[in-house]
PDB file of all heavy atoms in Angstrom:
ATOM      1  N   MET A 290       6.538 -17.390  -1.234  1.00  0.00           N
ATOM      2  CA  MET A 290       5.423 -17.111  -0.272  1.00  0.00           C
ATOM      3  C   MET A 290       4.777 -15.827  -0.669  1.00  0.00           C
ATOM      4  O   MET A 290       5.396 -14.634  -0.693  1.00  0.00           O
ATOM      5  CB  MET A 290       6.103 -17.008   1.076  1.00  0.00           C
ATOM      6  CG  MET A 290       5.161 -16.744   2.197  1.00  0.00           C
ATOM      7  SD  MET A 290       5.132 -15.031   2.782  1.00  0.00           S
ATOM      8  CE  MET A 290       5.156 -15.313   4.543  1.00  0.00           C
ATOM      9  N   LEU A 291       3.458 -15.899  -1.251  1.00  0.00           N
ATOM     10  CA  LEU A 291       2.796 -14.760  -1.736  1.00  0.00           C
ATOM     11  C   LEU A 291       1.876 -14.347  -0.541  1.00  0.00           C
ATOM     12  O   LEU A 291       1.010 -14.936  -0.087  1.00  0.00           O
ATOM     13  CB  LEU A 291       1.898 -15.178  -2.854  1.00  0.00           C
ATOM     14  CG  LEU A 291       2.651 -15.982  -3.903  1.00  0.00           C
ATOM     15  CD1 LEU A 291       1.729 -16.462  -5.047  1.00  0.00           C
ATOM     16  CD2 LEU A 291       3.718 -14.927  -4.615  1.00  0.00           C
ATOM     17  N   ALA A 292       2.172 -13.045  -0.181  1.00  0.00           N
ATOM     18  CA  ALA A 292       1.389 -12.500   1.073  1.00  0.00           C
ATOM     19  C   ALA A 292       0.402 -11.493   0.525  1.00  0.00           C
ATOM     20  O   ALA A 292       0.712 -10.363   0.073  1.00  0.00           O
ATOM     21  CB  ALA A 292       2.442 -11.856   1.937  1.00  0.00           C
ATOM     22  N   LEU A 293      -0.892 -11.742   0.696  1.00  0.00           N
ATOM     23  CA  LEU A 293      -1.943 -10.879   0.319  1.00  0.00           C
ATOM     24  C   LEU A 293      -2.117  -9.746   1.484  1.00  0.00           C
ATOM     25  O   LEU A 293      -2.177 -10.113   2.600  1.00  0.00           O
ATOM     26  CB  LEU A 293      -3.298 -11.637   0.254  1.00  0.00           C
ATOM     27  CG  LEU A 293      -3.449 -12.644  -0.947  1.00  0.00           C
ATOM     28  CD1 LEU A 293      -4.636 -13.516  -0.777  1.00  0.00           C
ATOM     29  CD2 LEU A 293      -3.502 -11.850  -2.175  1.00  0.00           C
ATOM     30  N   GLU A 294      -2.015  -8.579   0.935  1.00  0.00           N
ATOM     31  CA  GLU A 294      -2.121  -7.438   1.951  1.00  0.00           C
ATOM     32  C   GLU A 294      -3.435  -6.762   1.893  1.00  0.00           C
ATOM     33  O   GLU A 294      -3.860  -6.309   0.763  1.00  0.00           O
ATOM     34  CB  GLU A 294      -0.912  -6.478   1.664  1.00  0.00           C
ATOM     35  CG  GLU A 294       0.414  -7.041   1.777  1.00  0.00           C
ATOM     36  CD  GLU A 294       1.457  -5.940   1.889  1.00  0.00           C
ATOM     37  OE1 GLU A 294       1.358  -4.991   1.154  1.00  0.00           O
ATOM     38  OE2 GLU A 294       2.396  -6.206   2.578  1.00  0.00           O
ATOM     39  N   VAL A 295      -4.171  -6.652   3.052  1.00  0.00           N
ATOM     40  CA  VAL A 295      -5.472  -6.159   3.167  1.00  0.00           C
ATOM     41  C   VAL A 295      -5.634  -5.454   4.398  1.00  0.00           C
ATOM     42  O   VAL A 295      -5.247  -6.018   5.464  1.00  0.00           O
ATOM     43  CB  VAL A 295      -6.620  -7.283   3.037  1.00  0.00           C
ATOM     44  CG1 VAL A 295      -7.983  -6.628   3.066  1.00  0.00           C
ATOM     45  CG2 VAL A 295      -6.520  -7.985   1.660  1.00  0.00           C
ATOM     46  N   PRO A 296      -6.012  -4.205   4.425  1.00  0.00           N
ATOM     47  CA  PRO A 296      -6.206  -3.496   5.831  1.00  0.00           C
ATOM     48  C   PRO A 296      -7.197  -4.124   6.683  1.00  0.00           C
ATOM     49  O   PRO A 296      -8.138  -4.675   6.313  1.00  0.00           O
ATOM     50  CB  PRO A 296      -6.718  -2.077   5.297  1.00  0.00           C
ATOM     51  CG  PRO A 296      -6.608  -2.023   3.868  1.00  0.00           C
ATOM     52  CD  PRO A 296      -6.498  -3.399   3.338  1.00  0.00           C
ATOM     53  N   GLU A 297      -6.931  -3.899   8.017  1.00  0.00           N
ATOM     54  CA  GLU A 297      -7.799  -4.501   8.984  1.00  0.00           C
ATOM     55  C   GLU A 297      -9.297  -4.264   8.812  1.00  0.00           C
ATOM     56  O   GLU A 297     -10.016  -5.178   8.926  1.00  0.00           O
ATOM     57  CB  GLU A 297      -7.436  -4.169  10.422  1.00  0.00           C
ATOM     58  CG  GLU A 297      -8.226  -4.806  11.516  1.00  0.00           C
ATOM     59  CD  GLU A 297      -7.447  -4.996  12.830  1.00  0.00           C
ATOM     60  OE1 GLU A 297      -6.262  -4.750  12.891  1.00  0.00           O
ATOM     61  OE2 GLU A 297      -8.144  -5.215  13.800  1.00  0.00           O
ATOM     62  N   GLU A 298      -9.633  -3.068   8.543  1.00  0.00           N
ATOM     63  CA  GLU A 298     -11.064  -2.744   8.585  1.00  0.00           C
ATOM     64  C   GLU A 298     -11.771  -3.500   7.373  1.00  0.00           C
ATOM     65  O   GLU A 298     -12.945  -3.861   7.501  1.00  0.00           O
ATOM     66  CB  GLU A 298     -11.354  -1.260   8.474  1.00  0.00           C
ATOM     67  CG  GLU A 298     -11.038  -0.510   9.789  1.00  0.00           C
ATOM     68  CD  GLU A 298     -11.431  -1.270  11.078  1.00  0.00           C
ATOM     69  OE1 GLU A 298     -12.512  -1.662  11.220  1.00  0.00           O
ATOM     70  OE2 GLU A 298     -10.453  -1.620  11.909  1.00  0.00           O
ATOM     71  N   GLU A 299     -11.123  -3.630   6.203  1.00  0.00           N
ATOM     72  CA  GLU A 299     -11.596  -4.457   5.146  1.00  0.00           C
ATOM     73  C   GLU A 299     -11.734  -5.899   5.511  1.00  0.00           C
ATOM     74  O   GLU A 299     -12.794  -6.615   5.257  1.00  0.00           O
ATOM     75  CB  GLU A 299     -10.645  -4.166   3.875  1.00  0.00           C
ATOM     76  CG  GLU A 299     -11.112  -5.130   2.709  1.00  0.00           C
ATOM     77  CD  GLU A 299     -12.336  -4.838   2.006  1.00  0.00           C
ATOM     78  OE1 GLU A 299     -12.884  -3.822   2.254  1.00  0.00           O
ATOM     79  OE2 GLU A 299     -12.747  -5.698   1.126  1.00  0.00           O
ATOM     80  N   LEU A 300     -10.723  -6.384   6.307  1.00  0.00           N
ATOM     81  CA  LEU A 300     -10.850  -7.848   6.762  1.00  0.00           C
ATOM     82  C   LEU A 300     -12.051  -8.135   7.542  1.00  0.00           C
ATOM     83  O   LEU A 300     -12.863  -8.988   7.482  1.00  0.00           O
ATOM     84  CB  LEU A 300      -9.644  -8.160   7.515  1.00  0.00           C
ATOM     85  CG  LEU A 300      -8.257  -8.093   6.804  1.00  0.00           C
ATOM     86  CD1 LEU A 300      -7.123  -8.262   7.826  1.00  0.00           C
ATOM     87  CD2 LEU A 300      -8.095  -9.195   5.643  1.00  0.00           C
ATOM     88  N   VAL A 301     -12.207  -7.107   8.475  1.00  0.00           N
ATOM     89  CA  VAL A 301     -13.505  -7.354   9.530  1.00  0.00           C
ATOM     90  C   VAL A 301     -14.748  -7.274   8.601  1.00  0.00           C
ATOM     91  O   VAL A 301     -15.581  -8.046   8.927  1.00  0.00           O
ATOM     92  CB  VAL A 301     -13.346  -6.260  10.571  1.00  0.00           C
ATOM     93  CG1 VAL A 301     -14.562  -6.187  11.374  1.00  0.00           C
ATOM     94  CG2 VAL A 301     -12.108  -6.440  11.416  1.00  0.00           C
ATOM     95  N   LYS A 302     -14.845  -6.338   7.763  1.00  0.00           N
ATOM     96  CA  LYS A 302     -15.990  -6.184   6.919  1.00  0.00           C
ATOM     97  C   LYS A 302     -16.293  -7.567   6.169  1.00  0.00           C
ATOM     98  O   LYS A 302     -17.370  -7.909   6.130  1.00  0.00           O
ATOM     99  CB  LYS A 302     -15.819  -5.005   5.997  1.00  0.00           C
ATOM    100  CG  LYS A 302     -17.217  -4.444   5.431  1.00  0.00           C
ATOM    101  CD  LYS A 302     -16.844  -3.257   4.564  1.00  0.00           C
ATOM    102  CE  LYS A 302     -16.736  -3.646   3.092  1.00  0.00           C
ATOM    103  NZ  LYS A 302     -16.307  -2.617   2.242  1.00  0.00           N
ATOM    104  N   ARG A 303     -15.251  -7.986   5.487  1.00  0.00           N
ATOM    105  CA  ARG A 303     -15.379  -9.244   4.689  1.00  0.00           C
ATOM    106  C   ARG A 303     -15.974 -10.506   5.531  1.00  0.00           C
ATOM    107  O   ARG A 303     -16.810 -11.130   5.245  1.00  0.00           O
ATOM    108  CB  ARG A 303     -14.098  -9.575   4.092  1.00  0.00           C
ATOM    109  CG  ARG A 303     -13.700  -8.746   2.817  1.00  0.00           C
ATOM    110  CD  ARG A 303     -12.453  -9.286   2.271  1.00  0.00           C
ATOM    111  NE  ARG A 303     -11.838  -8.420   1.283  1.00  0.00           N
ATOM    112  CZ  ARG A 303     -10.782  -8.634   0.640  1.00  0.00           C
ATOM    113  NH1 ARG A 303     -10.110  -9.811   0.814  1.00  0.00           N
ATOM    114  NH2 ARG A 303     -10.394  -7.848  -0.300  1.00  0.00           N
ATOM    115  N   LEU A 304     -15.173 -10.545   6.766  1.00  0.00           N
ATOM    116  CA  LEU A 304     -15.608 -11.715   7.603  1.00  0.00           C
ATOM    117  C   LEU A 304     -16.874 -11.583   8.187  1.00  0.00           C
ATOM    118  O   LEU A 304     -17.617 -12.665   8.346  1.00  0.00           O
ATOM    119  CB  LEU A 304     -14.446 -11.844   8.624  1.00  0.00           C
ATOM    120  CG  LEU A 304     -13.078 -12.281   7.958  1.00  0.00           C
ATOM    121  CD1 LEU A 304     -11.993 -12.462   9.000  1.00  0.00           C
ATOM    122  CD2 LEU A 304     -13.255 -13.648   7.156  1.00  0.00           C
ATOM    123  N   LEU A 305     -17.333 -10.355   8.679  1.00  0.00           N
ATOM    124  CA  LEU A 305     -18.644 -10.177   9.244  1.00  0.00           C
ATOM    125  C   LEU A 305     -19.726 -10.517   8.158  1.00  0.00           C
ATOM    126  O   LEU A 305     -20.726 -11.108   8.340  1.00  0.00           O
ATOM    127  CB  LEU A 305     -18.849  -8.854   9.836  1.00  0.00           C
ATOM    128  CG  LEU A 305     -18.190  -8.643  11.186  1.00  0.00           C
ATOM    129  CD1 LEU A 305     -18.290  -7.192  11.626  1.00  0.00           C
ATOM    130  CD2 LEU A 305     -18.942  -9.560  12.323  1.00  0.00           C
ATOM    131  N   GLY A 306     -19.331 -10.039   6.945  1.00  0.00           N
ATOM    132  CA  GLY A 306     -20.296 -10.292   5.793  1.00  0.00           C
ATOM    133  C   GLY A 306     -20.383 -11.782   5.554  1.00  0.00           C
ATOM    134  O   GLY A 306     -21.491 -12.316   5.304  1.00  0.00           O
ATOM    135  N   ARG A 307     -19.411 -12.560   5.521  1.00  0.00           N
ATOM    136  CA  ARG A 307     -19.388 -14.006   5.405  1.00  0.00           C
ATOM    137  C   ARG A 307     -20.183 -14.686   6.462  1.00  0.00           C
ATOM    138  O   ARG A 307     -20.870 -15.670   6.325  1.00  0.00           O
ATOM    139  CB  ARG A 307     -18.014 -14.566   5.131  1.00  0.00           C
ATOM    140  CG  ARG A 307     -18.125 -16.028   4.817  1.00  0.00           C
ATOM    141  CD  ARG A 307     -16.730 -16.704   4.581  1.00  0.00           C
ATOM    142  NE  ARG A 307     -15.859 -16.591   5.744  1.00  0.00           N
ATOM    143  CZ  ARG A 307     -14.591 -16.936   5.780  1.00  0.00           C
ATOM    144  NH1 ARG A 307     -14.020 -17.252   4.675  1.00  0.00           N
ATOM    145  NH2 ARG A 307     -13.863 -16.826   6.916  1.00  0.00           N
ATOM    146  N   GLY A 308     -19.930 -14.167   7.698  1.00  0.00           N
ATOM    147  CA  GLY A 308     -20.502 -14.752   8.904  1.00  0.00           C
ATOM    148  C   GLY A 308     -21.957 -14.836   8.869  1.00  0.00           C
ATOM    149  O   GLY A 308     -22.604 -15.756   9.387  1.00  0.00           O
ATOM    150  N   ALA A 309     -22.654 -13.877   8.014  1.00  0.00           N
ATOM    151  CA  ALA A 309     -24.060 -13.882   7.964  1.00  0.00           C
ATOM    152  C   ALA A 309     -24.556 -15.049   7.282  1.00  0.00           C
ATOM    153  O   ALA A 309     -25.699 -15.630   7.519  1.00  0.00           O
ATOM    154  CB  ALA A 309     -24.552 -12.709   7.181  1.00  0.00           C
ATOM    155  N   THR A 310     -23.761 -15.784   6.423  1.00  0.00           N
ATOM    156  CA  THR A 310     -24.258 -16.928   5.634  1.00  0.00           C
ATOM    157  C   THR A 310     -23.404 -18.314   5.815  1.00  0.00           C
ATOM    158  O   THR A 310     -23.975 -19.292   5.651  1.00  0.00           O
ATOM    159  CB  THR A 310     -24.238 -16.684   4.171  1.00  0.00           C
ATOM    160  OG1 THR A 310     -22.910 -16.205   3.817  1.00  0.00           O
ATOM    161  CG2 THR A 310     -25.356 -15.603   3.813  1.00  0.00           C
ATOM    162  N   SER A 311     -22.105 -18.124   6.313  1.00  0.00           N
ATOM    163  CA  SER A 311     -21.222 -19.257   6.256  1.00  0.00           C
ATOM    164  C   SER A 311     -21.461 -20.304   7.316  1.00  0.00           C
ATOM    165  O   SER A 311     -21.103 -21.483   7.141  1.00  0.00           O
ATOM    166  CB  SER A 311     -19.771 -18.796   6.432  1.00  0.00           C
ATOM    167  OG  SER A 311     -19.526 -18.376   7.747  1.00  0.00           O
ATOM    168  N   GLY A 312     -21.991 -19.896   8.490  1.00  0.00           N
ATOM    169  CA  GLY A 312     -22.163 -20.846   9.595  1.00  0.00           C
ATOM    170  C   GLY A 312     -20.804 -20.996  10.351  1.00  0.00           C
ATOM    171  O   GLY A 312     -20.854 -21.784  11.176  1.00  0.00           O
ATOM    172  N   ARG A 313     -19.695 -20.314   9.917  1.00  0.00           N
ATOM    173  CA  ARG A 313     -18.499 -20.385  10.605  1.00  0.00           C
ATOM    174  C   ARG A 313     -18.567 -19.673  11.924  1.00  0.00           C
ATOM    175  O   ARG A 313     -18.759 -18.361  12.039  1.00  0.00           O
ATOM    176  CB  ARG A 313     -17.349 -19.893   9.797  1.00  0.00           C
ATOM    177  CG  ARG A 313     -16.642 -20.952   8.935  1.00  0.00           C
ATOM    178  CD  ARG A 313     -15.542 -20.438   8.258  1.00  0.00           C
ATOM    179  NE  ARG A 313     -14.430 -19.859   8.996  1.00  0.00           N
ATOM    180  CZ  ARG A 313     -13.187 -19.705   8.425  1.00  0.00           C
ATOM    181  NH1 ARG A 313     -12.972 -19.873   7.196  1.00  0.00           N
ATOM    182  NH2 ARG A 313     -12.202 -19.287   9.224  1.00  0.00           N
ATOM    183  N   ALA A 314     -18.399 -20.360  13.072  1.00  0.00           N
ATOM    184  CA  ALA A 314     -18.527 -19.812  14.395  1.00  0.00           C
ATOM    185  C   ALA A 314     -17.596 -18.648  14.659  1.00  0.00           C
ATOM    186  O   ALA A 314     -17.953 -17.611  15.181  1.00  0.00           O
ATOM    187  CB  ALA A 314     -18.304 -20.873  15.385  1.00  0.00           C
ATOM    188  N   ASP A 315     -16.364 -18.722  13.999  1.00  0.00           N
ATOM    189  CA  ASP A 315     -15.357 -17.668  14.178  1.00  0.00           C
ATOM    190  C   ASP A 315     -15.641 -16.462  13.395  1.00  0.00           C
ATOM    191  O   ASP A 315     -14.860 -15.568  13.398  1.00  0.00           O
ATOM    192  CB  ASP A 315     -13.970 -18.258  14.118  1.00  0.00           C
ATOM    193  CG  ASP A 315     -13.755 -18.748  12.687  1.00  0.00           C
ATOM    194  OD1 ASP A 315     -14.643 -18.973  11.872  1.00  0.00           O
ATOM    195  OD2 ASP A 315     -12.458 -19.041  12.263  1.00  0.00           O
ATOM    196  N   ASP A 316     -16.747 -16.441  12.476  1.00  0.00           N
ATOM    197  CA  ASP A 316     -17.014 -15.269  11.652  1.00  0.00           C
ATOM    198  C   ASP A 316     -18.177 -14.374  12.397  1.00  0.00           C
ATOM    199  O   ASP A 316     -18.571 -13.497  11.734  1.00  0.00           O
ATOM    200  CB  ASP A 316     -17.381 -15.641  10.283  1.00  0.00           C
ATOM    201  CG  ASP A 316     -16.252 -16.098   9.369  1.00  0.00           C
ATOM    202  OD1 ASP A 316     -15.157 -15.785   9.770  1.00  0.00           O
ATOM    203  OD2 ASP A 316     -16.429 -16.622   8.332  1.00  0.00           O
ATOM    204  N   GLN A 317     -18.743 -14.883  13.460  1.00  0.00           N
ATOM    205  CA  GLN A 317     -20.027 -14.399  13.879  1.00  0.00           C
ATOM    206  C   GLN A 317     -19.800 -13.094  14.751  1.00  0.00           C
ATOM    207  O   GLN A 317     -20.627 -12.206  14.870  1.00  0.00           O
ATOM    208  CB  GLN A 317     -20.773 -15.410  14.754  1.00  0.00           C
ATOM    209  CG  GLN A 317     -21.075 -16.713  14.053  1.00  0.00           C
ATOM    210  CD  GLN A 317     -21.895 -16.463  12.830  1.00  0.00           C
ATOM    211  OE1 GLN A 317     -22.799 -15.711  12.738  1.00  0.00           O
ATOM    212  NE2 GLN A 317     -21.574 -17.309  11.764  1.00  0.00           N
ATOM    213  N   ASP A 318     -18.522 -13.064  15.360  1.00  0.00           N
ATOM    214  CA  ASP A 318     -18.430 -12.070  16.434  1.00  0.00           C
ATOM    215  C   ASP A 318     -17.224 -11.172  16.162  1.00  0.00           C
ATOM    216  O   ASP A 318     -16.173 -11.716  15.906  1.00  0.00           O
ATOM    217  CB  ASP A 318     -18.236 -12.914  17.721  1.00  0.00           C
ATOM    218  CG  ASP A 318     -18.036 -12.046  18.965  1.00  0.00           C
ATOM    219  OD1 ASP A 318     -17.657 -10.868  18.779  1.00  0.00           O
ATOM    220  OD2 ASP A 318     -18.081 -12.606  20.036  1.00  0.00           O
ATOM    221  N   GLU A 319     -17.386  -9.895  16.162  1.00  0.00           N
ATOM    222  CA  GLU A 319     -16.330  -9.027  15.714  1.00  0.00           C
ATOM    223  C   GLU A 319     -15.097  -9.206  16.629  1.00  0.00           C
ATOM    224  O   GLU A 319     -13.938  -9.092  16.285  1.00  0.00           O
ATOM    225  CB  GLU A 319     -16.734  -7.549  15.648  1.00  0.00           C
ATOM    226  CG  GLU A 319     -15.611  -6.617  15.222  1.00  0.00           C
ATOM    227  CD  GLU A 319     -16.071  -5.203  14.894  1.00  0.00           C
ATOM    228  OE1 GLU A 319     -17.231  -4.984  14.593  1.00  0.00           O
ATOM    229  OE2 GLU A 319     -15.239  -4.283  15.041  1.00  0.00           O
ATOM    230  N   ALA A 320     -15.348  -9.445  17.958  1.00  0.00           N
ATOM    231  CA  ALA A 320     -14.253  -9.606  18.921  1.00  0.00           C
ATOM    232  C   ALA A 320     -13.372 -10.811  18.604  1.00  0.00           C
ATOM    233  O   ALA A 320     -12.129 -10.805  18.744  1.00  0.00           O
ATOM    234  CB  ALA A 320     -14.794  -9.712  20.378  1.00  0.00           C
ATOM    235  N   VAL A 321     -14.001 -11.926  18.135  1.00  0.00           N
ATOM    236  CA  VAL A 321     -13.394 -13.111  17.751  1.00  0.00           C
ATOM    237  C   VAL A 321     -12.576 -12.790  16.471  1.00  0.00           C
ATOM    238  O   VAL A 321     -11.309 -13.239  16.309  1.00  0.00           O
ATOM    239  CB  VAL A 321     -14.231 -14.330  17.634  1.00  0.00           C
ATOM    240  CG1 VAL A 321     -13.566 -15.484  16.920  1.00  0.00           C
ATOM    241  CG2 VAL A 321     -14.825 -14.710  18.902  1.00  0.00           C
ATOM    242  N   ILE A 322     -13.093 -12.056  15.528  1.00  0.00           N
ATOM    243  CA  ILE A 322     -12.428 -11.747  14.262  1.00  0.00           C
ATOM    244  C   ILE A 322     -11.192 -10.916  14.592  1.00  0.00           C
ATOM    245  O   ILE A 322     -10.120 -11.257  14.072  1.00  0.00           O
ATOM    246  CB  ILE A 322     -13.335 -11.047  13.345  1.00  0.00           C
ATOM    247  CG1 ILE A 322     -14.451 -11.929  12.814  1.00  0.00           C
ATOM    248  CG2 ILE A 322     -12.624 -10.338  12.131  1.00  0.00           C
ATOM    249  CD1 ILE A 322     -15.560 -11.235  11.963  1.00  0.00           C
ATOM    250  N   ARG A 323     -11.385 -10.052  15.554  1.00  0.00           N
ATOM    251  CA  ARG A 323     -10.188  -9.135  15.839  1.00  0.00           C
ATOM    252  C   ARG A 323      -9.089  -9.993  16.576  1.00  0.00           C
ATOM    253  O   ARG A 323      -7.939  -9.791  16.360  1.00  0.00           O
ATOM    254  CB  ARG A 323     -10.529  -7.900  16.598  1.00  0.00           C
ATOM    255  CG  ARG A 323     -11.394  -6.951  15.735  1.00  0.00           C
ATOM    256  CD  ARG A 323     -11.265  -5.566  16.119  1.00  0.00           C
ATOM    257  NE  ARG A 323     -12.307  -4.753  15.367  1.00  0.00           N
ATOM    258  CZ  ARG A 323     -11.948  -4.005  14.408  1.00  0.00           C
ATOM    259  NH1 ARG A 323     -10.710  -3.863  13.896  1.00  0.00           N
ATOM    260  NH2 ARG A 323     -12.929  -3.268  13.744  1.00  0.00           N
ATOM    261  N   ASN A 324      -9.482 -10.930  17.296  1.00  0.00           N
ATOM    262  CA  ASN A 324      -8.497 -11.840  18.102  1.00  0.00           C
ATOM    263  C   ASN A 324      -7.816 -12.652  16.966  1.00  0.00           C
ATOM    264  O   ASN A 324      -6.552 -12.859  17.187  1.00  0.00           O
ATOM    265  CB  ASN A 324      -9.378 -12.723  18.999  1.00  0.00           C
ATOM    266  CG  ASN A 324      -8.497 -13.376  20.027  1.00  0.00           C
ATOM    267  OD1 ASN A 324      -7.352 -12.706  20.496  1.00  0.00           O
ATOM    268  ND2 ASN A 324      -8.714 -14.538  20.396  1.00  0.00           N
ATOM    269  N   ARG A 325      -8.461 -13.184  15.975  1.00  0.00           N
ATOM    270  CA  ARG A 325      -7.799 -13.924  14.939  1.00  0.00           C
ATOM    271  C   ARG A 325      -6.718 -13.027  14.300  1.00  0.00           C
ATOM    272  O   ARG A 325      -5.527 -13.474  13.985  1.00  0.00           O
ATOM    273  CB  ARG A 325      -8.721 -14.408  13.858  1.00  0.00           C
ATOM    274  CG  ARG A 325      -9.639 -15.589  14.391  1.00  0.00           C
ATOM    275  CD  ARG A 325     -10.896 -15.592  13.577  1.00  0.00           C
ATOM    276  NE  ARG A 325     -10.771 -15.993  12.238  1.00  0.00           N
ATOM    277  CZ  ARG A 325     -11.715 -15.800  11.272  1.00  0.00           C
ATOM    278  NH1 ARG A 325     -12.982 -15.551  11.744  1.00  0.00           N
ATOM    279  NH2 ARG A 325     -11.474 -16.145   9.959  1.00  0.00           N
TER     280      ARG A 325
END
Side-chain angles (χ1 to χ4, degrees):
M290 183 254 224
L291 307 173
L293 291 168
E294 295 196 323
V295 178
E297 177 157 347
E298 292 319 305
E299 170 71 12
L300 298 171
V301 173
K302 196 175 97 191
R303 288 184 188 178
L304 294 176
L305 282 173
R307 183 176 63 186
T310 54
S311 71
R313 262 182 70 166
D315 59 347
D316 285 346
Q317 305 298 322
D318 179 346
E319 185 171 334
V321 171
I322 291 172
R323 293 207 188 260
N324 198 33
R325 286 159 62 194

